Structure formats: structure tokens, C-alpha cells
Amino acid sequence: MQDIRSIVHTMKTLSVINSAPYEHAASAIAAYHETVLLGLHAVLSQVGPLDVGPPVNGTKSFVVFGSDHGLCGNYNEALAAHLTQHMAGGSERDTILCVGAQMTDALSDLGMTPQTTVFPPASVDGIGRLANQLTQQLADIQNSLGSGDMAVSLAYVTRDGPVGQRPVVTDLLPLDPGLVRNLQRKPWSSRSLPSFSMPPSEVFQALVRGHLFASIFHAVAEALVTENAARLAQMQQAEKSVDDRLESLGSEIRSVRQSEITTELLDVIIGFEALKKKRGNTASQPKDVLAETHSGGPRQT
């Protein structure tokens, strides 16, 4: 149990250490995302109103971010159940891109089969690689459906307050009409008007890809932060259980040791009483009997 507690403590420490780089990555990509939104604001302020509507064929692509490292409770199962409720009544042509083999198993148990499964990043350096890979796969799906006919939603676990977390499904494409409307109505703050040499449609598509990449990057980082937070919570519970078990075992050991000491003391006391009784019997015998005993029997006359 002491060895198990050492392992649990090590896992708890690693969960705390691993969360910090992913939190920094989420903060860094948020700054990049603000730059992309600023570019969208510049384009929309010059090209005029943009009508954003639902996809023509009504199909969606869901990107689900799970955990493959384990020791984090029902992390995958809770997200899979939430996604199932969100997809209820959807089209049979909806596709699922899954991050993590264990997440794929959780979805399969609920009757959903992902189209593609990719490995989650092993470190913060792999977040960009995974975001690029998913962005390219979504672009291939868009090309197969036709230009402009694309809907993408991200399913992951996000932080909810200082210690809580909850699964969410956020719509990524088409762009949120409220976001587009706010960017169009927001006045340009600089005295210099924005300009670009590329055609407005190409600039807009490039910025949308940047928005897609930044959103996926943020979802990956957020999922990794909450995964380590869930693992930390599980390790804290395990550490408490191990401590309770160690205390119970210590009490049991003390009880057994006391029983052994009591038994040994009773053996000593019983032996002492037996020797004392034997000596008392020897001292109470008559002297002539003792003499006969020492001489070998009664004397003949």
C-alpha cells in the first residue's frame, strides 16, 4: 500500500506539472485568434454585408477530443453521452472525426462509429500538428461536399469554474451569424482603412481557415487541461482512499501485535504459576517420606 501511495502521489504531481504548458498554449492561441478575428473585421468592413446560413445538405462533421492516457474517470464516457444527446435527430450522413482510441470505443458503445480516429498529442508541441491534420481532413471533406457546403462542430470537455468541468459541443462552421454581424457593425478604430492585394474571397477563406485552426488548437489545449484536471481529481480521491486503507492496516497491525504480546505474557504468567505450584507441593511433603525417597525405600530391620 505504501508503494501504491507513492505511485498515486507521482501521478498527481505529473498531472499538476502537465497542466501548466497546456494552459499556456490555450492562452497563446487566444491571442492569435484575436488577430484572426481582427483580420475578419478588416475584410468585412470593406466587402460589405455577408450572408451566413446553414449548409445546403444539412450534414455536419463533428470533431471529438477524448483521452487515451486513462486514469481520469469517466472522461470519455461523459463526453460521448453528451455528444449522443446533441446528435439525436441528426442526419445519417453526419461524420465524426475522433481524437483518441478510447474515445472511439466510448462512441462505439453508444452506437456511433467515427469515420477517422487520430492519436492525441503526447506533448504541447504536438497540438499544432494535430490541429493542422484535422484542418486538412475537414478541408478534404469540404471539397467532397462542394465549396461553401460545410458545417463543423467541436465536442470537448472545457473548464467550468475554478475546479469544475463540463462537456460542450460548439458550432464552428458556418461562422456564427452573431459574430459576423458584430464584426460588420463594429466601426474600424484606426484612421487608416485596411487594404489587401488578394481578392476579397480568397482573403476571407484564408482567414476562415485561420479561425478553424485556432479554434481546433484551443479545443485540443482545453481538452488536455481538463483531462489532467480530471486525472488530478481521481488521484486525490485515490490518495485519500489509500491513506484510509493505510490507517486501517496500521490499526490492524497494532491490534495483532498487542494480541501477540498479550499471548506471550499469559504464557509467561501461566508457566510461572505452574512452577510456583510445583515448588509448593514439594515443600509440603513429610520429612520421612523425603528421606525414603532419597534412600530408595524403607529400611529393613
Side-chain angles (χ1 to χ4, degrees):
M1 293 303 297
Q2 290 285 2
D3 292 340
I4 292 175
R5 191 189 187 284
S6 176
I7 294 173
V8 169
H9 182 74
T10 301
M11 293 300 300
K12 188 175 75 170
T13 304
L14 289 176
S15 299
V16 176
I17 295 175
N18 291 336
S19 294
Y22 298 130
E23 290 180 355
H24 295 327
S27 301
I29 202 61
Y32 171 78
H33 201 186
E34 288 294 329
T35 304
V36 173
L37 293 178
L38 181 62
L40 284 172
H41 181 203
V43 173
L44 293 175
S45 64
Q46 299 300 308
V47 300
L50 178 67
D51 184 19
V52 178
V56 177
N57 60 2
T59 61
K60 281 188 175 183
S61 293
F62 294 88
V63 184
V64 189
F65 300 93
S67 169
D68 257 1
H69 299 289
L71 298 178
C72 52
N74 63 337
Y75 184 93
N76 294 319
E77 290 74 12
L79 180 58
H82 183 75
L83 180 62
T84 303
Q85 296 176 358
H86 186 85
M87 293 181 63
S91 174
E92 295 181 354
R93 299 178 59 186
D94 293 345
T95 59
I96 299 177
L97 304 180
C98 186
V99 179
Q102 294 187 19
M103 189 71 232
T104 300
D105 295 337
L107 292 172
S108 300
D109 292 340
L110 297 177
M112 295 184 295
T113 304
Q115 176 181 345
T116 305
T117 300
V118 297
F119 293 107
S123 65
V124 69
D125 296 331
I127 299 180
R129 171 195 59 79
L130 178 61
N132 279 321
Q133 182 180 359
L134 293 174
T135 302
Q136 184 59 46
Q137 291 184 2
L138 291 173
D140 295 338
I141 295 176
Q142 182 180 17
N143 293 333
S144 64
L145 295 176
S147 178
D149 193 9
M150 183 68 171
V152 177
S153 296
L154 305 180
Y156 57 97
V157 179
T158 186
R159 287 170 284 185
D160 185 16
V163 294
Q165 56 188 25
R166 59 186 175 88
V168 296
V169 179
T170 59
D171 295 330
L172 187 58
L173 291 179
L175 293 177
D176 182 12
L179 173 64
V180 175
R181 186 164 50 250
N182 292 336
L183 292 177
Q184 290 174 341
R185 295 177 179 177
K186 182 179 178 181
W188 187 255
S189 58
S190 176
R191 292 179 296 175
S192 301
L193 295 177
S195 61
F196 38 85
S197 58
M198 296 172 59
S201 60
E202 295 183 9
V203 176
F204 181 76
Q205 291 296 330
L207 290 171
V208 168
R209 286 193 297 271
H211 170 68
L212 183 66
F213 171 83
S215 299
I216 293 177
F217 191 104
H218 179 268
V220 176
E222 191 72 14
L224 291 171
V225 170
T226 54
E227 174 192 338
N228 283 280
R231 185 175 298 109
L232 175 61
Q234 292 294 319
M235 292 302 102
Q236 288 175 337
Q237 294 179 5
E239 189 175 45
K240 183 178 182 303
S241 299
V242 171
D243 288 340
D244 293 342
R245 181 59 178 160
L246 282 173
E247 184 178 356
S248 175
L249 289 174
S251 177
E252 184 177 349
I253 289 174
R254 289 191 294 271
S255 177
V256 172
R257 182 181 178 185
Q258 185 63 42
S259 298
E260 292 179 351
I261 294 174
T262 302
T263 302
E264 292 177 359
L265 288 175
L266 289 176
D267 291 342
V268 172
I269 293 173
I270 292 173
F272 175 78
E273 291 294 336
L275 291 176
K276 184 178 178 182
K277 184 176 181 181
K278 183 177 180 180
R279 291 176 180 175
N281 293 335
T282 304
S284 62
Q285 290 181 1
K287 292 183 178 181
D288 54 349
V289 175
L290 292 176
E292 292 178 357
T293 302
H294 289 294
S295 62
R299 186 173 300 176
Q300 298 289 334
T301 60

